[in-house]
Every structure is written in structure tokens, then in C-alpha cells.
Amino acid sequence: MQKVTGTLMSDNGNHTESAKATAATAEPQGEAEESTGLQVGTTLQVTAERPAHGGETIGTTSAGVIFLDGALPGDTVMAEVTQRKKSFSRGRVTSVLESGPYRGASRCAAADAGAGCCDFHQVIPEREAELKQLILEDQLRRVGKFTAGSEELPQIRIVSIDEQPGTRTRARFGVGADGKAGVRRRHSTDVITERCSAIDPRIYDEVEKHSFTPGAEVVCAVDSLGEVHVTETARAPRGKRVKHSRKVVAGSPLVTEKVGGTTFVFPVTGFWQAHREVPEIFSTLIREAASYAREDDGPASEEEPLCGWDLYGGVGALAPALVQALGGHNAEVISVDTTYVKDWQGSDHVSFARGDVAGTIPILPQPQFVVLDPPRTGAGFKTIGAIAAHKPHTVVHFGCDPATCARDLRSWVDYGYRVVELNLVNAFPGSYHFETVAVLVAP
């Protein structure tokens, strides 16, 4: 694993709320909209100064802060104003006048054609993790209220991962009026059939053989056995995951995944980490976190097992690593989620509680070690408080959104926990998304 040190940045942004906070630190604006003539449709030259969460960058104009869609830090661009607010604006890049230090050649034909799959397709691969580190540092400062240089947070460690094209083993495509499947155009439901470079090409090789129902969605996977699975489903609401297939087009309805010595069998529409290396990387981080356990951290008697909670556990992918972190032979792990697990073939030390995490916590036994991988919205103050009330010594918290992860880490610290590791995993090369893995210990 590569270790990279960094200092928390100054201003950045986090969607609308961070836009307001950023604007508040900029130069006085007065009646900017009237006095500068900066209105929707105006084209202006601006330099992108720093990254913002969500794939945008931030520049400043005579009218204040502007969030730029299509620019990278250091770029000087021409941009058309697309939104005007009291405290900030948004703009779309129409041309790049001068490239900054992060811009390189495009890596994705689909993104070149306008798809929203790879927001960072023009970021130099060797600098992508660095750029994401800057975003994480800013969200920790802005949303988490962590002070630069304080002892509340350790230095961020960037975890080594394969960032080459084709590492994504999961894909969710739209279907156009012609029956062809592909990724969607950015900010649109239109379908683009050019190949996304991040997706395993074996998926495209199979999908391109078939015609689908216009308006449907196509869920695809390449599993650990190398089998390609393609299933047609009804379109899911925005931000929701498809749970049921309508028609199996290729492969079988169940995928087989292996992590270490454990085999997982579940529906094609079930959740699994998209990057082929991530499940093993996450498992390794959990096992390494066992080093923070105290000698006196254990059950009241030798007859009682060491207990671990695997919260938001899905199909239980991380549960075997938690069993190992607890020592194996005298461990009991309870995996909590709403996902139905079919034909569990893993450790006998793992059991499943199906239900809402917050509602299940009160009936669980006392844990020594907790792993939680909440959805993009985060775990939240109340759920973290309920976990902290049980006083597990070690916690591994996964976050797929840096803003909500920063908020959750602040909650942990407010409940007395200490962050001893902060890892960044570039699990989505070519896009602005990444995973944060924090290790915390009780006071």
C-alpha cells in the first residue's frame, strides 16, 4: 500500500450547501447579478482553482464563486453560465483555452460522446487519486468540521489498486428506442452505445449481441468464474437499485463471487462492489484493523464468543474477514441488511439478521468489533449513537460519499471515538467517485 501525506485544503465545495459556504469566504459580491451583468447564457473566461465534490471545479469571477462542469483544477476555460444564485453560479465549459496540471488525453469513448459514466476521463491517471484526496480533505474540513493539522485525524493513506481500463465488473445500461443498450448521456436519459472504458469489455461483447425492450434497463455482471450475466429489468427510480430481473438474456440468474476462501451466490441484481479488486482490499483492511484490539477487550468469560457486527452487510461479503479479525475459532458475526442471502457457503461463525439496521441494533448482542458500509446517504448521527452506546472497541467505517462520510466521522468523534486510520480507495477509476475507509477505536 502506498502512503501519501497531505494537508487539509482551504476552500472547496459540496453541492449547494458547500457552494453557499464557499461563496461566504469569497470577495464581497454586493448586487453582483445586476452590477456585473452575469446572467444565465453569459459566456466568460475563468480559471478553475480547486476541485469540488461531485465532479465540478470552483473558480471565481467578478460576481463571486462559479462551479464549473467540465473543467479540471488549473484549467483556463470558456464557460457558459447555466445557473445564477445569490451566492454562486454554475457554468458549463464550452472550450479549454489552457490545460491545467491534471488534464490529459481522454480515456473513455463513451464520455467523449457525452456519457456521464467517466467524469474524470481526462484526468491524468497518475494524478487521479491525488485529486480525490484533495476532495476528501476539503469535505473533512467543510462538512466534518475537522481542523487542518489537528490531532483528530491521521494522514490519509492512498491504497494501491488497479486503475487500468476494464476493471468494472458491474454495469447498468439504459435501452434506447432502437433496442440497443448503453450508458446514459450526462444529465439525460438518452442512451450512448459507445463503450465505456471502465467496464469489463466482456460485458459489451455479450450485450452487443442482443436487442432489448425500449425503455427497459439492462443489468450486467462478470463473476469470479468468468461467466457473463445479462438480465433485462424494468427501469428503477433514480438513485434506486434494481432488485428483480424480468428476463435473463445471457448467463444464469445467479452470480458466483469468491473472496478468499468464501463463495457467494446471489442474484445478478444483488449488490456487489463493481471494481474486481475491492472486495479483497476491503477484507484486508478489516483484518489489519484487528491490530488495534486491546488485550482486555473481550467477553466476560472464555466461554462467550467474541462478537462482531457486519452492518449494511448485503450478501455478507465482508463477514468472513470480520470472523478472521476476531480470531476465527471463538467468533460470532451477525450480518445485518435487508438483502436475502441464498445458499450461504461461508463460515459457520456468520449468521444473518434481515431488517433495517437502526431497528435491529437494539436486539443484537454486545460487539467487540463493528464493520459498517452504509449507503451513499451515510449512517447518520442516531445510528452511530446507537452503535457507540454498545461500546465496541474497534470500528471500520466505509463511506462511498466523502460528504456524508465526513459528517459520520464527526459523529463518531463527538461520541468519543478516535480515528486511527483514514484510507482512500480509488474504487471507481475515471469517475469522481471513491471509497473512504476509516478505522476508529473507543476511548
Side-chain angles (χ1 to χ4, degrees):
M1 294 185 181
Q2 178 186 6
K3 188 172 183 179
V4 177
T5 61
T7 303
L8 295 182
M9 281 185 63
S10 55
D11 294 325
N12 192 342
N14 174 36
H15 301 295
T16 301
E17 290 305 315
S18 286
K20 294 176 181 177
T22 301
T25 64
E27 294 296 323
Q29 298 172 47
E31 297 298 323
E33 190 168 0
E34 288 75 16
S35 62
T36 66
L38 185 60
Q39 299 176 352
V40 172
T42 300
T43 300
L44 72 161
Q45 179 177 318
V46 63
T47 297
E49 300 168 1
R50 51 200 185 272
H53 170 44
E56 297 175 306
T57 50
I58 299 171
T60 53
T61 71
S62 58
V65 170
I66 184 167
F67 286 76
L68 298 166
D69 182 4
L72 297 173
D75 288 349
T76 299
V77 303
M78 296 299 297
E80 178 186 354
V81 177
T82 57
Q83 185 183 37
R84 186 75 179 95
K85 295 289 187 180
K86 183 178 180 180
S87 57
F88 67 94
S89 304
R90 278 195 161 87
R92 176 182 61 85
V93 171
T94 57
S95 63
V96 178
L97 303 178
E98 184 177 349
S99 297
Y102 293 97
R103 184 173 292 275
S106 173
R107 296 178 265 165
C108 181
D112 277 343
C117 51
C118 294
D119 317 81
F120 278 7
H121 67 109
Q122 291 183 314
V123 174
I124 297 170
E126 293 77 16
R127 302 204 68 179
E128 183 175 317
E130 170 194 332
L131 185 57
K132 293 179 178 182
Q133 179 178 344
L134 296 178
I135 294 169
L136 175 57
E137 288 173 342
D138 180 76
Q139 295 304 297
L140 290 167
R141 187 187 69 82
R142 183 175 304 284
V143 180
K145 308 302 180 185
F146 291 100
T147 305
S150 73
E151 296 182 354
E152 288 187 308
L153 290 179
Q155 294 176 337
I156 294 171
R157 178 175 66 167
I158 296 179
V159 178
S160 297
I161 192 170
D162 185 356
E163 297 178 343
Q164 296 301 309
T167 56
R168 189 177 180 91
T169 63
R170 262 66 186 165
R172 176 172 154 180
F173 295 139
V175 180
D178 59 359
K180 294 181 179 180
V183 292
R184 296 192 185 276
R185 183 176 297 279
R186 187 171 174 83
H187 306 312
S188 171
T189 58
D190 294 346
V191 173
I192 291 179
T193 55
E194 281 85 350
R195 291 189 173 196
C196 169
S197 64
I199 296 172
D200 190 313
R202 290 175 290 180
I203 290 177
Y204 276 107
D205 291 343
E206 185 62 48
V207 167
E208 290 169 355
K209 298 176 183 177
H210 305 279
S211 181
F212 303 90
T213 304
E217 287 197 339
V218 178
V219 178
C220 314
V222 179
D223 66 16
S224 294
L225 303 180
E227 183 177 2
V228 180
H229 305 261
V230 179
T231 183
E232 182 179 299
T233 75
R235 184 180 175 188
R238 181 175 176 81
K240 299 294 184 180
R241 179 166 53 86
V242 175
K243 294 184 178 181
H244 304 289
S245 62
R246 188 163 63 188
K247 180 174 68 175
V248 175
V249 178
S252 63
L254 297 176
V255 298
T256 300
E257 296 289 359
K258 295 183 178 181
V259 182
T262 304
T263 299
F264 303 85
V265 179
F266 54 93
V268 180
T269 54
F271 175 77
W272 190 259
Q273 291 290 340
H275 193 294
R276 60 173 175 248
E277 291 185 353
V278 166
E280 185 55 49
I281 287 174
F282 282 6
S283 297
T284 298
L285 292 174
I286 290 170
R287 290 190 292 266
E288 290 177 349
S291 64
Y292 294 101
R294 297 181 301 221
E295 291 185 3
D296 60 347
D297 182 55
S301 67
E302 294 183 0
E303 289 75 24
E304 294 182 47
L306 291 166
C307 180
W309 295 355
D310 173 30
L311 305 180
Y312 311 95
V315 298
L318 302 180
L322 183 51
V323 171
Q324 293 172 333
L326 289 168
H329 69 283
N330 191 35
E332 176 188 8
V333 169
I334 303 169
S335 185
V336 182
D337 203 309
T338 57
T339 302
Y340 172 70
V341 178
K342 181 179 177 64
D343 300 329
W344 170 252
Q345 300 178 34
S347 169
D348 293 337
H349 297 275
V350 178
S351 59
F352 292 87
R354 290 301 154 216
D356 172 71
V357 167
T360 306
I361 285 175
I363 63 173
L364 297 177
Q366 173 68 32
Q368 283 76 45
F369 199 135
V370 171
V371 170
L372 67 158
D373 187 5
R376 193 167 299 280
T377 52
F381 187 76
K382 289 184 178 179
T383 298
I384 289 173
I387 301 169
H390 284 76
K391 300 180 180 179
H393 177 261
T394 307
V395 174
V396 178
H397 186 117
F398 294 86
C400 58
D401 181 284
T404 56
C405 183
R407 180 204 66 197
D408 283 349
L409 291 181
R410 169 50 61 191
S411 296
W412 281 113
V413 171
D414 287 348
Y415 279 113
Y417 277 74
R418 181 167 57 92
V419 184
V420 293
E421 280 189 23
L422 199 53
N423 302 287
L424 188 156
V425 182
N426 189 15
F428 305 92
S431 81
Y432 67 81
H433 298 287
F434 58 91
E435 297 275 355
T436 304
V437 186
V439 180
L440 305 103
V441 295

